[in-house]
Amino acid sequence: MKNNTPDIKYLFEPRQVAVIGASHDPAKIGSKILRNIVASGYRGRIYPVNPKGGEILGLPAARSLEEVEGELDVVCTCVPAKFVFESVKASAAKHAKFNLVITSGFSEVGNSREEREITSYARERGMRIIGPNIFGMYSAAAALDMTFGPGGIVPGSVAIITQSGALGLAMIGKTAAENIGLSALVSVGNKADIGEAELLEYLVDDPHTLSIMMYIEGVREGAPLVEILKRVSRRKPVVVIKSGRSRRGAAAAASHTGSLAGSDAVFDAVMRQCGVLRAESVQEGFDLCKFLARTKVPAGRNAVIVTNGGGIGVLATDACEKYGVKLLDDAENLKTVFSQVTPDFGSTKNPIDLTGGATSDHYTGALDAALKDGGIDAVIALYCETAVFDAENLGPMIRENFAKYRDAGKPIVFSAFGGASIDATLRKLSTEKVPIFGDVYDAVRTLGGVYRQYDNLARPPLEPEEAQVDIAAVERLVAGARADGRTFLLAHEGRQLMELVGIRPPQSRVARTLEEAVHCANEIGYPVVLKVVSRDILHKSDAGGVALDLENRGEVIDAYQAILRNCRAAVPDARIDGIEVAEMIAKGLELIVGARRDPGFGPIVMFGLGGIYVEVMKDVSFRAVPIDRTEAMSMMKEIRAYPLLLGVRGEERKDMESVIDAIIRLATVIRRCESISDIEVNPIVVYEEGKGSKAVDVRVLLSK
Ligand code: COA
């Protein structure tokens, strides 16, 4: 299929476009799209297609696509749903490369079958579909606005991919109002064929695109998206906004891993893993994209706040803590840098307080000093409106200093707070593409995003790791369960799986006689546990079928006899297959490790605090597979209970290496054995460093 697919370049840089359903009626969508194509200054050939023929917006309209002569890179389909397949067939017959299906009325309203038929028809003939149910696309590289938006898109360097139509259309006006220049805007709608991943393949190399914003509602076949996002985010910042933090999917999940993963947590974790910056709102997304398209990431972590007000300086300090911006606190260095440019009654401690008497010259003095100092990597410059400030100089001061910082590659964010004149300054600077914020939290949040990007770039690239696992033996084990008509493994099969995978389960054997039980206990080593094995006794403890902490031969003999007696009394007809003799698990820290096939992202792994409260605590982290040891370690560091692994209140540090090993092993199995859908080890008990961990309880579900 891959060879049969056209170069994505022709979607963004088409040489000819046809609009099927270009209308004579200016109120209709087909007419609006044609008008935008013409108005945006597109230099390629434009072919309106309308059964009535004639002329539309001064262009001759073909009565059908067959009448169009020459090649077609892109066809835009805006005819009612019942005619879409026909127009896709006509486009494929003309060997068109891409078809933008604007029309609604497909999978979004339950009509998935026709959508699938259209898509596979097109793909078999080497044509790709965008949509259906989209508002079109804009590409600055081709000066082409092929949307039914309001027009007036400002060309620039931010690319937007959006799954939401209405929001995407509204973004056209919003970006124009905020003077955010766009390099591309693509509506992906139902994503029947082309999704975000393929569009990113173009944008990663597009020299016009400096930052990318994506609005995502759901992810399907996420593995290629993960792969490309990891690559793109190292070259250009990618910001994602995701809606639908719903838990509905979670309710149906059959394992802890499934139910915890059903929440928004997996999306969040995978985006972070990919180096993508997640924004909570469209405004935050715009702020970040705008800023990152205009500024380099800083050289280091040390930021300073320069302010004329103590209160706003404290607010900014709080915001820095919230958004992960580290403030320089080397008092000596700060004094050396700022004492010459700070009034006597001001402060050279971070925040640098220029006091309410500060003028534009004071600001420029302090900002110049910070710019020159190699120990300062970023600046947050705050201004509260005062009567003494030369208000007319605020705008020019900010503009000049921003330019100096930009040229030097050092990030600076400005925030100004005050009345009407401040608002006017904010608006004016914004239209001049100078990043400035009315709210100090918004300014610091944006710098926090820059630092998230800094951290992403500082992370070493992933070196996927796989464990040695006898996959064929695992498949044989699974086949046995399937032959038995099951879609899950029994407890002893789960243990067998752990042995095959290389995660240590507690030692255990089934004894059929008293002598055998004693022999097993001697082999395993004391203390041991005895448990009845019977398909007729579900609640072993209630039937007196369990004995714990048996220290020696005598205790094993007594317990064996007591268990048989108790069980025969409790369930007289029970078939007793034997008595399980198992290692008594020593106390340690109870963790959970899991792996599953996520509906959106494919194979994922989970790590967290385990035991019976796992769903209450929800102290877990996720990653898309493959991972490496560094990534597995970062999963551990992410949970709130991480200090327990380091050892608290005089406890020893835990054997984290053995848990990392277990995570990598589960990642290997879930990636290589399609027949397994969920594996969960809860608890895996971890001991002190060097003493390993034990997989106490294992649940395995098979793919349906
Ligand atoms: N080939 C070429 N042109 C055709 C045609 C065909 N097979 N069948 C119809 N047309 C022409 C019609 O004659 C008409 O032109 P005219 O006005 O000059 O007569 C034009 O195509 C449009 O057809 P019409 O029946 O008037 O449809 P419409 O404009 O009311 O609606 C859509 C068409 C695609 C806009 C509509 O079906 C739709 O899906 N709207 C929702 C779009 C949307 O919201 N998308 C998601 C956004 S996020």
Side-chain angles (χ1 to χ4, degrees):
M1 195 68 92
K2 198 85 184 149
N3 300 335
N4 199 14
T5 194
D7 189 340
I8 194 78
K9 170 177 177 235
Y10 294 110
L11 176 66
F12 289 89
E13 299 167 43
R15 296 156 298 181
Q16 323 80 14
V17 298
V19 180
I20 306 186
S23 171
H24 291 275
D25 177 350
K28 287 191 183 170
I29 282 181
S31 165
K32 291 192 172 160
I33 291 182
L34 189 65
R35 198 170 330 128
N36 278 336
I37 295 174
V38 173
S40 54
Y42 175 62
R43 291 176 297 273
R45 287 182 179 278
I46 310 168
Y47 301 106
V49 181
N50 185 295
K52 295 176 200 144
E55 211 176 72
I56 307 175
L57 297 174
L59 295 163
R63 283 174 201 283
S64 70
L65 208 59
E66 288 102 83
E67 278 185 18
V68 171
E69 282 177 14
E71 274 189 72
L72 281 173
D73 285 340
V74 171
V75 172
C76 182
T77 296
C78 27
V79 292
K82 59 179 186 257
F83 301 126
V84 168
F85 206 163
E86 185 189 299
S87 98
V88 164
K89 284 179 181 165
S91 310
K94 285 293 293 175
H95 304 292
K97 294 182 175 63
F98 295 93
N99 197 320
L100 262 60
V101 182
I102 303 288
T103 313
S104 305
F106 294 92
S107 64
E108 83 283 4
V109 293
N111 183 11
S112 302
R113 198 171 58 90
E114 194 180 6
E115 186 174 293
R116 273 198 303 274
E117 281 169 8
I118 289 174
T119 309
S120 49
Y121 181 93
R123 290 208 65 165
E124 276 159 23
R125 286 153 186 84
M127 184 175 76
R128 304 298 304 273
I129 303 281
I130 324 287
N133 188 32
I134 58 171
F135 62 79
M137 67 177 283
Y138 165 78
S139 168
L144 174 62
D145 178 358
M146 208 170 7
T147 73
F148 59 84
I153 298 178
V154 182
S157 48
V158 177
I160 300 178
I161 302 173
T162 172
Q163 201 174 346
S164 162
L167 203 57
L169 279 171
M171 282 181 195
I172 295 180
K174 180 78 179 156
T175 50
E178 291 207 11
N179 205 18
I180 301 174
L182 298 184
S183 57
L185 170 65
V186 188
S187 163
V188 288
N190 298 359
K191 297 195 271 194
D193 182 12
I194 288 190
E196 292 87 357
E198 285 177 89
L199 301 172
L200 289 168
E201 288 287 357
Y202 173 84
L203 297 173
V204 65
D205 289 321
D206 174 33
H208 304 287
T209 300
L210 299 183
S211 65
I212 299 165
M213 179 159 116
M214 298 198 294
Y215 175 89
I216 295 185
E217 278 164 3
V219 176
R220 246 190 346 242
E221 292 171 20
L225 182 63
V226 167
E227 204 273 321
I228 177 82
L229 280 174
K230 282 184 188 162
R231 261 193 297 132
V232 181
S233 66
R234 288 200 164 262
R235 297 193 34 206
K236 329 190 155 174
V238 183
V239 176
V240 68
I241 304 160
K242 179 176 178 286
S243 63
R245 291 171 174 247
S246 122
R247 289 183 178 273
R248 250 190 305 166
S255 64
H256 290 302
T257 317
S259 83
L260 292 161
S263 67
D264 192 55
V266 172
F267 182 85
D268 209 59
V270 174
M271 287 302 120
R272 250 182 293 125
Q273 179 184 3
C274 293
V276 169
L277 313 174
R278 185 160 181 192
E280 292 289 324
S281 65
V282 177
Q283 190 58 53
E284 183 186 350
F286 277 153
D287 287 347
L288 258 175
C289 274
K290 237 180 358 182
F291 195 74
L292 284 162
R294 289 171 201 166
T295 320
K296 291 205 177 81
V297 288
R301 288 222 65 110
N302 292 320
V304 296
I305 299 170
V306 175
T307 180
N308 68 342
I312 202 162
V314 176
L315 274 179
T317 308
D318 291 347
C320 284
E321 200 167 302
K322 177 169 177 187
Y323 294 113
V325 176
K326 180 184 164 286
L327 292 175
L328 176 65
D329 61 3
D330 178 345
E332 273 312 302
N333 188 23
L334 287 164
K335 198 168 170 190
T336 317
V337 177
F338 292 108
S339 57
Q340 295 297 314
V341 292
T342 312
D344 292 342
F345 43 93
S347 168
T348 63
K349 293 205 185 86
N350 204 356
I352 314 301
D353 192 349
L354 303 178
T355 77
T359 62
S360 55
D361 288 342
H362 288 107
Y363 270 94
T364 297
L367 296 181
D368 274 346
L371 181 62
K372 282 195 206 99
D373 189 74
I376 296 171
D377 305 302
V379 174
I380 300 157
L382 311 175
Y383 170 72
C384 277
E385 190 175 23
T386 62
V388 291
F389 194 88
D390 36 348
E392 70 284 2
N393 286 330
L394 179 67
M397 182 276 285
I398 290 175
R399 192 181 302 116
E400 279 159 30
N401 282 296
F402 172 70
K404 279 192 261 179
Y405 272 72
R406 187 195 50 210
D407 294 347
K410 197 179 267 199
I412 184 165
V413 286
F414 290 94
S415 171
F417 183 71
S421 74
I422 297 291
D423 284 348
T425 306
L426 286 171
R427 272 195 304 277
K428 183 155 190 329
L429 289 169
S430 242
T431 57
E432 293 169 12
K433 302 196 176 181
V434 176
I436 177 152
F437 302 86
D439 190 302
V440 61
Y441 264 72
D442 292 346
V444 178
R445 182 180 65 188
T446 303
L447 190 60
V450 175
Y451 272 111
R452 279 191 277 156
Q453 181 67 3
Y454 170 90
D455 289 337
N456 288 335
L457 297 178
R459 224 166 27 172
L462 179 91
E463 291 186 20
E465 210 168 303
E466 285 224 334
Q468 287 289 335
V469 175
D470 184 349
I471 300 295
V474 173
E475 295 289 6
R476 278 198 297 277
L477 185 67
V478 169
R482 281 207 197 280
D484 208 20
R486 279 180 281 121
T487 52
F488 58 91
L489 296 190
L490 295 172
H492 71 280
E493 293 168 328
R495 272 198 303 274
Q496 262 172 282
L497 177 73
M498 288 299 100
E499 266 156 21
L500 288 172
V501 170
I503 301 176
R504 256 199 317 162
Q507 293 189 63
S508 129
R509 323 238 194 296
V510 175
R512 319 260 165 211
T513 65
L514 179 59
E515 288 69 37
E516 246 180 75
V518 171
H519 181 70
C520 292
N522 286 340
E523 254 186 20
I524 289 170
Y526 296 95
V528 292
V529 179
L530 259 54
K531 281 184 233 168
V532 67
V533 181
S534 167
R535 72 200 76 179
D536 300 318
I537 302 175
L538 285 182
H539 303 292
K540 296 185 178 107
S541 300
D542 294 353
V546 180
L548 303 173
D549 212 3
L550 309 170
E551 299 271 6
N552 52 46
R553 183 172 182 276
E555 287 187 18
V556 168
I557 293 172
D558 291 348
Y560 187 94
Q561 288 164 339
I563 285 177
L564 288 185
R565 225 176 18 249
N566 296 343
C567 290
R568 285 196 184 118
V571 191
D573 299 329
R575 283 162 294 179
I576 294 177
D577 301 312
I579 304 281
E580 183 190 339
V581 185
E583 178 186 344
M584 173 89 192
I585 299 294
K587 230 174 118 41
L589 179 61
E590 293 196 344
L591 300 171
I592 181 170
V593 289
R596 78 185 304 252
R597 232 161 271 291
D598 181 76
F601 290 106
I604 57 164
V605 280
M606 181 182 89
F607 162 79
L609 191 63
I612 54 172
Y613 300 121
V614 57
E615 280 196 52
V616 180
M617 301 308 290
K618 291 192 173 59
D619 194 12
V620 290
S621 54
F622 297 92
R623 291 292 185 278
V625 172
I627 57 164
D628 58 12
R629 295 188 89 78
T630 315
E631 199 75 76
M633 186 66 210
S634 75
M635 287 177 82
M636 298 171 93
K637 286 188 179 161
E638 230 169 69
I639 68 164
R640 295 190 300 280
Y642 177 62
L644 299 183
L645 283 151
L646 295 175
V648 286
R649 303 177 75 95
E651 284 173 0
E652 294 278 324
R653 187 185 167 93
K654 300 293 180 287
D655 198 332
M656 289 192 254
E657 284 301 314
S658 71
V659 183
I660 291 179
D661 210 56
I663 297 172
I664 301 270
R665 284 172 188 278
L666 290 189
T668 306
V669 177
I670 201 75
R671 189 168 182 215
R672 308 264 253 108
C673 300
E674 296 259 326
S675 54
I676 294 180
S677 74
D678 285 69
I679 314 175
E680 184 174 285
V681 187
N682 183 30
I684 180 168
V685 178
V686 63
Y687 301 107
E688 290 164 10
E689 209 157 27
K691 296 199 174 147
S693 49
K694 286 259 158 87
V696 177
D697 215 346
V698 183
R699 274 185 77 148
V700 184
L701 304 178
L702 308 181
S703 307
K704 297 254 164 60

